Amino acid sequence: MRPNRTIEIGTGLFVLLGFATLLFLTSQLPANGLKFGAPKAGYHVTAEFDNIGDLKVGAPATMAGVRVGEVSGIRFDSRDYKAVVSLRTTPSTKQIPEDSFASIETQGCSGQVRRHQPRRARQLPQGRRPY
C-alpha cells in the first residue's frame, strides 16, 4: 500500500506543477496586461491613430525590422476621437527622428506597431515627443 500512495502524491504534485506553469505562461502573453517582475526601463512615446484594429497591450514595436519596444497602453481620446497608443522603447533606443511616423501592421495573431523613419536620424531635444 505504501508505494501506491507515493506514486499518487508524486502524480498530484506533477499535475499541480503543470497547472502553475500553464498559469505563468498564459500571464506572459502579449495580449494580457498582467506581467510578473519589475517594470522595464525605457522611454515612453505616444502616437495617435484613427483606427488601431486589433492592437493589444504588449504587442512588439519595431523600427527598421528591429524590436525597439512594446505597446504599454491604449486609450481613447474623446476630444479628438482618436486612439492614443503609448509605447515603451528600450533604453538603447535614443535617437528617434522628429519627423517619424507610426503605422500599425498585423503579424500573426497579435497586433504589432512598426515605426517608420526617414534616412537621417536626429537626437530629440529634451522633453520633446516625436509624435
Side-chain angles (χ1 to χ4, degrees), residues 47-59:
E48 294 181 348
F49 296 98
D50 291 326
N51 185 0
I52 60 168
D54 288 333
L55 184 68
K56 304 273 190 272
V57 172

Side-chain angles (χ1 to χ4, degrees), residues 41-96:
Y43 300 99
H44 294 276
V45 189
T46 59
E48 294 181 348
F49 296 98
D50 291 326
N51 185 0
I52 60 168
D54 288 333
L55 184 68
K56 304 273 190 272
V57 172
T62 61
M63 189 160 52
V66 178
R67 185 178 175 142
V68 295
E70 66 182 28
V71 175
S72 61
I74 300 172
R75 66 179 178 83
F76 180 72
D77 184 4
S78 59
R79 189 175 44 114
D80 295 333
Y81 298 104
K82 292 189 177 202
V84 179
V85 178
S86 299
L87 304 170
R88 183 179 32 83
T89 62
T90 58
S92 61
T93 309
K94 295 180 182 174
Q95 291 189 2
I96 300 174

Side-chain angles (χ1 to χ4, degrees), residues 35-42 44 88:
K35 296 276 186 183
F36 292 117
K40 298 176 184 173
H44 294 276
R88 183 179 32 83

